């Protein structure tokens, strides 16, 4: 059973008349109406603990959570391995800062703080971090897996999982989001 937005033809005609009046309004009124519509759209976002839950539940938000989880697991396993090796140092020097960058980006997008700092290219940074992490995690995972040390092998496996199942798709979806922010969709003219 479908429910119509308008309850009658009179309501539909009134809506069309209001739309036509808004289109013929002076620029000041159009600007105020656009500001109000933007404000209304922002207030309709469901926030929990100050975070936009639609972003957290979106594919980008879920991939960020996966990136953090797999990276954290790989980092912890690497830290528990006794001894020092060149592979362990290079692996740790990249994984930890990458995790910090992913945490910052996640909270920037989840709280919409990036809108307050438009001079920073947040979407480009997201694409760059995801692409760089995909390549580096893959290379370092393969190198670390051939060390022969059990915890480093496990760490390398989880890093490879992070690269292939979180950072690679994250790069693709981050690039799509960047393109959408750079070239927003416009409605067709009548």
């Amino acid at each position: 059973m479908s429910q119509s937005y308008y309850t009658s033809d009179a309501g539909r005609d009134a809506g069309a008349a209001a739309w036509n009046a808004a289109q013929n309004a002076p620029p000041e009124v159009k600007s105020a109406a656009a500001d109000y519509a933007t404000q209304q759209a922002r207030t309709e976002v469901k926030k929990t603990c100050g975070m936009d839950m639609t972003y957290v539940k979106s594919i980008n938000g879920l991939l960020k959570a996966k990136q953090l989880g797999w990276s954290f697991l790989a980092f912890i396993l690497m830290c528990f391995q006794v001894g020092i090796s060149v592979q362990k140092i290079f692996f740790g020097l990249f994984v930890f800062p990458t995790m910090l960058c992913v945490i910052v980006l996640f909270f920037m997008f989840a709280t919409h703080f990036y809108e307050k700092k438009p001079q920073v290219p947040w979407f480009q940074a997201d694409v760059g971090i995801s692409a760089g992490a995909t390549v580096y995690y893959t290379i370092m995972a393969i190198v670390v897996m051939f060390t022969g040390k059990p915890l480093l092998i496990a760490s390398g496996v989880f890093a490879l999982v992070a690269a292939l199942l979180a950072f690679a798709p994250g790069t693709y979806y981050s690039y799509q989001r960047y393109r959408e922010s750079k070239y927003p969709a416009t409605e067709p003219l009548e």
Side-chain angles (χ1 to χ4, degrees):
M1 180 171 159
S2 70
Q3 192 174 19
S4 174
Y5 179 75
Y6 296 104
T7 57
S8 67
D9 290 336
R12 190 174 350 204
D13 294 340
W19 173 258
N20 290 335
Q23 294 303 313
N24 298 328
E28 306 83 36
V29 174
K30 285 183 181 178
S31 171
D35 291 343
Y36 178 75
T38 303
Q39 181 182 7
Q40 285 300 102
R42 285 187 183 150
T43 57
E44 291 177 16
V45 171
K46 182 180 177 186
K47 289 191 173 188
T48 303
C49 296
M51 292 194 297
D52 175 12
M53 294 311 288
T54 56
Y55 173 76
V56 173
K57 293 178 181 178
S58 72
I59 189 74
N60 285 322
L62 293 174
L63 285 172
K64 287 276 178 271
K66 283 175 60 176
Q67 291 168 2
L68 284 173
W70 293 118
S71 298
F72 184 70
L73 191 55
F75 185 74
I76 292 298
L77 287 170
M78 185 263 319
C79 288
F80 283 141
Q81 178 63 46
V82 178
I84 302 283
S85 66
V86 174
Q87 297 94 345
K88 184 178 173 181
I89 291 171
F90 280 111
F91 186 71
L93 284 176
F94 186 77
V95 171
F96 187 71
T98 302
M99 284 190 318
L100 291 179
C101 290
V102 170
I103 289 171
V104 167
L105 286 173
F106 178 78
F107 284 108
M108 285 295 190
F109 293 136
T111 60
H112 289 270
F113 188 74
Y114 69 94
E115 293 173 348
K116 296 178 183 175
K117 299 284 184 187
Q119 63 272 20
V120 178
W122 296 109
F123 297 112
Q124 288 176 338
D126 191 16
V127 173
I129 289 170
S130 293
T134 301
V135 172
Y136 192 81
Y137 271 50
T138 304
I139 293 169
M140 283 309 295
I142 292 168
V143 169
V144 166
M145 283 193 288
F146 286 109
T147 61
K149 298 176 182 175
L151 287 176
L152 284 183
I153 293 171
S155 179
V157 168
F158 286 116
L160 193 60
V161 167
L164 299 179
L165 298 181
F167 283 107
T171 303
Y172 173 74
Y173 287 110
S174 296
Y175 181 73
Q176 278 188 335
R177 190 167 184 201
Y178 161 69
R179 292 290 300 210
E180 288 171 2
S181 71
K182 189 173 180 181
Y183 305 109
T186 57
E187 293 184 23
L189 299 173
E190 293 180 24

